[in-house]
Amino acid sequence: MSAMFRSLSSVNYRLWFIGALVSNIGSWMQATTQNWVVLTELTDNDAVAVGVTMALQFGPQLVLVPITGLIADRFDRRKILMVTQTALMVLGLALGVLLIAGHATIWHLYAFALALGIVNAVDAPARQTFVADLVAEHNMSNAVALNSASFNAARLIGPAVAGFLIVLIGSGWVFVVNAVTFVAVLGALAALRVDQLRPRKPRTRGRGDLAAGLHYVRRRPDLIVVFAIVFILGAFGMNFPIFSSTMAVEFGRGAGEYGMLSSILAIGSLTGALLAARRDRARLRVIVGAAGAFGLATFAAVVMPTYWSFAASTILIGFTAVTLLTTANGYVQTTTDPDVRGRVMALYMAILMGGAPVGAPIVGAIANGLGPRWALGAASVAAVVACGIGLAWMVVARGLRIVRDPDARFGLAVTHHGQGRADAPGLVDGVRQPAPAITSPIAVVAANPPEHSCPRTRPEPPVPAEFSEEVAVTSPIPLPKRGWTAPAGSAARTVRGSELTSRRREPRRNGLRTRR
């Protein structure tokens, strides 16, 4: 199996991947339909109402973060997911029935979004960290990236199917179809081989459990930078439902074209997730670079004159956004202590999703008052600010530099002094580094170096600063062969074999004759 899909060699992970893919398709169908219903069926193209719906849906993750992270760390994550996925299925079915019966109002949608947010607040950290129970430690980063690929493959399919079904059978039935898709993930959870799940240390209650994740992050300045970038982009940059729905209306398009925008964006998202799966580990500099690239991509979308050119620009937006989120998720999980991983991931998800209550109403108001292109422009500015924060920290705290390197692809290489984490100085970007020397580094060469050793590891012979008689007398010179006679007229004499023998008996060190 190729390195990109190496986590699928685990039976348990394969079952989870397939079940989650089917359920994610239904979830994207529901999310697309929900925003379209709010914008066109229950209001008169009110982008602020869409923003309020997003705020209610993602706000609970910010408020409940201490409790939800502790739940993920303390209890069986498989059982947690079975409860939360069942609750999500019931909620989707209930709203679908209301819409089909024609009794749904905007307040019903707000209540549904709030209940969905509460359940997702418990579900998200358990689902994100459940990957650690399914695969070995060295495959965790790959499994996280494949999870993101599954999520974005569903984004590619779900919105387009939702747009088609809204026109064909009506919005209410889309919620019912989503409820049916939860059977796949519940079946996968039931079919997992429990004896092959990675064992977890039993946890006991202790003082400060709720705040342990927050205290851990406070000691990790690199995680604080990641969280700052994710919060800014989550609040102002990744309001895709607002961007897609308002731009579809801007171009005079309907539900089908709105769903198509989300699917086209998912082409780039899926590509970014698969490329992230190829990397051996998540790196902080990729997160910072992706933030800057996202700013450029959203700025390009602002100036697109037609629907199809705008749709094409969303591919780059999706690619940069998922590259950032997948790498950030993998970085947080693989560099965090397993004992607090659930609480740290709950904090990460709260910051990512909790930014929506802050930014979505503001972005919606900008789209209403100034137009959707200005909302995209605000996202571009936010991304540039996030990139600037990351670059500033890497330059100041890690001594980030760009140096010339003839062996690099473009003749330039990025280096830093690698101070690493505050609580574990031996880790840089999640990889353990050799301990720094207390004194100045010195070259150590074996007494008898092997013939295949790298020439760079052998010390060069000392080069005298200037000529002196003492150096000339003591420096080694090559010896002639036995019985060699100098040419006629030369002052040299024949070297006797006894002299050669006596010289060969002199001790050598590292292939050089010892000076006396």
Side-chain angles (χ1 to χ4, degrees):
M1 186 171 292
S2 66
M4 183 183 292
F5 302 102
R6 58 186 180 273
S7 295
L8 292 175
S9 59
S10 167
V11 175
N12 278 343
Y13 186 76
R14 281 202 304 272
L15 288 170
W16 168 254
F17 182 87
I18 295 170
L21 176 61
V22 175
S23 180
N24 283 335
I25 292 174
S27 296
W28 273 110
M29 292 168 57
Q30 175 175 284
T32 304
T33 306
Q34 172 186 309
N35 293 316
W36 188 253
V37 167
V38 172
L39 187 68
T40 63
E41 295 184 18
L42 300 181
T43 68
D44 185 17
N45 297 331
D46 189 354
V48 174
V50 178
V52 171
T53 304
M54 293 179 62
L56 291 171
Q57 185 169 335
F58 299 127
Q61 299 203 33
L62 184 62
V63 176
L64 301 176
V65 57
I67 301 173
T68 57
L70 185 61
I71 291 173
D73 276 336
R74 180 170 291 175
F75 298 103
D76 187 337
R77 292 166 186 158
R78 175 173 163 270
K79 294 179 180 178
I80 295 172
L81 290 173
M82 294 189 76
V83 172
T84 56
Q85 294 294 308
T86 302
L88 292 172
M89 178 177 66
V90 172
L91 283 172
L93 184 61
L95 184 58
V97 171
L98 276 176
L99 287 168
I100 293 171
H103 299 308
T105 66
I106 188 63
W107 298 106
H108 288 121
L109 262 295
Y110 287 163
F112 169 77
L114 180 61
L116 193 67
I118 293 172
V119 177
N120 274 325
V122 179
D123 179 83
R127 188 176 67 251
Q128 294 291 332
T129 54
F130 187 55
V131 175
D133 300 339
L134 299 174
V135 298
E137 186 78 22
H138 63 277
N139 283 333
M140 191 185 303
S141 180
N142 176 256
V144 170
L146 289 181
N147 266 10
S148 178
S150 167
F151 183 78
N152 287 287
R155 175 187 276 182
L156 181 65
I157 301 169
V161 174
F164 174 75
L165 290 180
I166 289 172
V167 176
L168 184 65
I169 60 177
S171 55
W173 286 103
V174 178
F175 286 87
V176 175
V177 172
N178 170 58
V180 174
T181 62
F182 281 100
V183 174
V185 70
L186 290 172
L189 288 168
L192 291 177
R193 300 177 182 178
V194 181
D195 58 328
Q196 293 184 11
L197 295 176
R198 289 180 62 193
R200 296 168 58 195
K201 295 180 181 179
R203 290 195 52 80
T204 58
R205 295 184 181 181
R207 296 182 60 185
D209 276 355
L210 291 177
L214 183 59
H215 293 326
Y216 179 84
V217 172
R218 287 175 59 186
R219 300 194 306 267
R220 291 278 307 275
D222 57 327
L223 288 187
I224 294 174
V225 171
V226 172
F227 286 5
I229 293 173
V230 167
F231 175 79
I232 293 173
L233 288 179
F236 302 102
M238 297 186 183
N239 296 290
F240 300 130
I242 296 176
F243 299 148
S244 298
S245 58
T246 54
M247 287 299 288
V249 174
E250 174 88 357
F251 290 115
R253 305 289 174 151
E257 289 83 359
Y258 162 56
M260 186 65 69
L261 281 179
S262 298
S263 294
I264 293 174
L265 181 142
I267 295 174
S269 302
L270 181 60
T271 304
L274 291 176
L275 289 180
R278 290 178 58 90
R279 302 188 188 100
D280 56 345
R281 62 182 180 271
R283 298 177 182 271
L284 183 58
R285 60 174 175 261
V286 175
I287 301 172
V288 176
F294 181 84
L296 295 176
T298 49
F299 179 77
V302 170
V303 298
M304 292 301 167
T306 65
Y307 170 84
W308 289 110
S309 61
F310 173 76
S313 70
T314 62
I315 296 176
L316 187 57
I317 293 177
F319 176 81
T320 53
V322 170
T323 297
L324 187 151
L325 294 180
T326 303
T327 308
N329 190 315
Y331 182 84
V332 173
Q333 290 213 52
T334 55
T335 63
T336 298
D337 188 338
D339 289 340
V340 294
R341 184 176 290 150
R343 278 160 286 183
V344 172
M345 283 306 299
L347 186 60
Y348 169 82
M349 295 303 297
I351 288 173
L352 173 61
M353 301 300 183
V358 177
I362 296 174
V363 173
I366 294 174
N368 264 358
L370 301 176
R373 295 183 186 274
W374 284 95
L376 279 166
S380 178
V381 172
V384 172
V385 171
C387 178
I389 291 173
L391 280 176
W393 183 81
M394 294 187 74
V395 169
V396 173
R398 287 194 172 177
L400 182 72
R401 299 292 185 271
I402 299 178
V403 297
R404 291 185 178 181
D405 185 358
D407 297 330
R409 180 178 299 179
F410 300 106
L412 298 173
V414 179
T415 63
H416 58 76
H417 57 63
Q419 290 299 318
R421 288 163 33 184
D423 64 329
L427 288 179
V428 176
D429 282 350
V431 181
R432 186 162 297 282
Q433 304 293 323
I438 298 177
T439 59
S440 299
I442 57 174
V444 179
V445 183
N448 295 307
E451 295 181 358
H452 61 275
S453 61
C454 179
R456 293 182 180 178
T457 62
R458 298 179 179 178
E460 297 293 336
V463 179
E466 59 184 16
F467 179 82
S468 68
E469 183 178 356
E470 179 182 359
V471 172
V473 172
T474 59
S475 298
I477 58 174
L479 298 178
K481 297 181 180 179
R482 183 188 299 272
W484 175 84
T485 305
S490 170
R493 59 184 177 83
T494 301
V495 181
R496 296 188 180 90
S498 59
E499 293 181 5
L500 287 171
T501 302
S502 64
R503 293 194 181 192
R504 289 188 184 121
R505 290 174 180 172
E506 292 181 9
R508 292 173 177 263
R509 178 175 298 169
N510 298 335
L512 299 176
R513 190 178 306 281
T514 304
R515 299 174 185 173
R516 297 185 177 179

